Amino acid sequence: MIRLALTALLALTCGVMTKPDTPLLTWPDLLGRPQPKPDATIAYGDDEMQKVDVWVPAGSGPFPTVTMVHGGCWTTSIADRSLMNWIADDLRKEGIAVWNIDYRGVDRPGGGYPGTFLDVAMAADALAANAARFHLDTRHIIAVGHSAGGHLALWLAARPNLPAESPLRTGPPLPIMHVVSLGGLPDLEATAASPDNGCGTEVVAQLVGAPGSRADRYADTSVPRLLPMRVPQDLVNGQEDRIIPLRLATGYEAQARRAGDQIALHLIPATGHVELVAPETAAWAQAKHLIHIALKKK
């Protein structure tokens, strides 16, 4: 179940309007809907958050597959994987399987550094071990993440570039061939320096470790430090997003482009943060279009 501590973020979206007659979606607008259910749930560890929901289309497969990562400020008490159920179901209806992962947040025993990152890595890598069971095509995996999950989806694609001495380096990592980040926070250093972001700045220290805990807390955690990843990336952001400042997207886009990566920023008008994971919106239509394009390139 979604953790209703999303109310901490709700204050930043309620009442925000692009113009008087065009209100943005709020979290209750999404969470109050009937929630579709996955086809299966598998465990990759003993903690209740170390789970993956599998969404399998009708038919015999093999199915093109998306690895999905939820947001919620890297914090279990704010959100879990069920936040992505509506768009996961939408992809399932279009013949795309979804591997929707969960992980221990910074507020949970074992979360933070390195646990949150190791959970995300283990959850993603478990896809290969279960591909035959669910008829998943692993030749062209696309990673999709929302908000903090956008950071983690990009980080999954960048895992081959982790420093050799990093405890986060496990392998072989699931190959990610394309990333679609929905209002993501890829640059943790920029996020920590941005008090106006909806997650705040203290959570970054919880995620990467307190100052002085190791020589460089961002070397294996912040996506810009792992560029170039040589994986195409699409950033989908709402023009009216009050949770993720637009400069966090444009700043990362510029860094990735300078590093030589293929990246595009898609700015959606009349769109906040919730619209990015609501299946009827222009933002999700754009994201889904990008997923289909990426799959056609395999």
Side-chain angles (χ1 to χ4, degrees):
M1 293 292 292
I2 284 286
R3 304 308 198 253
L4 293 182
L6 277 167
T7 52
L9 300 180
L10 177 61
L12 292 171
T13 54
C14 278
V16 176
M17 305 176 76
T18 57
K19 50 188 178 181
D21 59 343
T22 310
L24 300 181
L25 288 179
T26 66
W27 289 116
D29 293 331
L30 181 67
L31 302 180
R33 307 174 184 188
Q35 193 174 79
K37 301 300 180 185
D39 296 282
T41 299
I42 69 157
Y44 63 89
D46 295 331
D47 191 274
E48 66 176 291
M49 304 312 299
Q50 293 176 315
K51 298 285 197 301
V52 177
D53 285 340
V54 192
W55 301 72
V56 185
S60 58
F63 304 108
T65 303
V66 162
T67 294
M68 194 169 278
V69 194
H70 72 84
C73 300
W74 305 278
T75 303
T76 297
S77 62
I78 291 179
D80 62 22
R81 66 190 182 277
S82 64
L83 183 63
M84 310 296 273
N85 280 16
W86 292 274
I87 59 173
D89 179 57
D90 194 49
L91 289 178
R92 176 174 62 181
K93 291 174 180 175
E94 298 205 4
I96 298 173
V98 177
W99 188 258
N100 185 25
I101 73 175
D102 222 329
Y103 50 90
R104 292 170 295 176
V106 299
D107 57 336
R108 193 169 185 88
Y113 187 91
T116 296
F117 293 93
L118 292 176
D119 279 5
V120 171
M122 286 191 294
D125 294 346
L127 190 158
N130 289 273
R133 173 183 173 189
F134 296 109
H135 310 291
L136 308 179
D137 185 349
T138 61
R139 294 173 298 172
H140 197 87
I141 302 294
I142 297 174
V144 175
H146 175 244
S147 198
H151 157 255
L152 293 170
L154 288 160
W155 180 84
L156 281 173
R159 284 171 67 201
N161 294 346
L162 287 169
E165 69 278 7
S166 170
L168 306 183
R169 191 175 182 87
T170 59
L174 177 76
I176 303 294
M177 305 307 295
H178 198 107
V179 183
V180 178
S181 170
L182 309 172
L185 293 153
D187 187 339
L188 296 182
E189 291 176 277
T191 302
S194 300
D196 57 339
N197 89 80
C199 290
T201 58
E202 293 181 1
V203 69
V204 178
Q206 293 177 281
L207 180 67
V208 303
S213 58
R214 58 189 191 282
D216 187 346
R217 298 174 297 150
Y218 297 107
D220 56 356
T221 58
S222 189
V223 178
R225 296 294 197 90
L226 302 172
L227 296 173
M229 67 173 73
R230 309 199 188 285
V231 173
Q233 304 157 57
D234 284 295
L235 313 179
V236 180
N237 284 74
Q239 190 169 333
E240 309 300 330
D241 194 331
R242 299 297 189 263
I243 291 178
I244 306 303
L246 182 58
R247 69 178 182 278
L248 296 180
T250 57
Y252 173 71
E253 180 198 21
Q255 292 177 85
R257 200 176 297 281
R258 285 195 300 269
D261 275 347
Q262 178 184 331
I263 187 168
L265 172 61
H266 309 268
L267 188 58
I268 313 300
T271 294
H273 203 58
V274 182
E275 285 86 351
L276 298 169
V277 287
E280 77 280 8
T281 63
W284 176 244
Q286 177 65 48
K288 191 164 57 171
H289 175 67
L290 295 167
I291 291 169
H292 280 291
I293 290 174
L295 288 172
K296 288 177 182 177
K297 293 180 179 178
K298 68 180 179 180

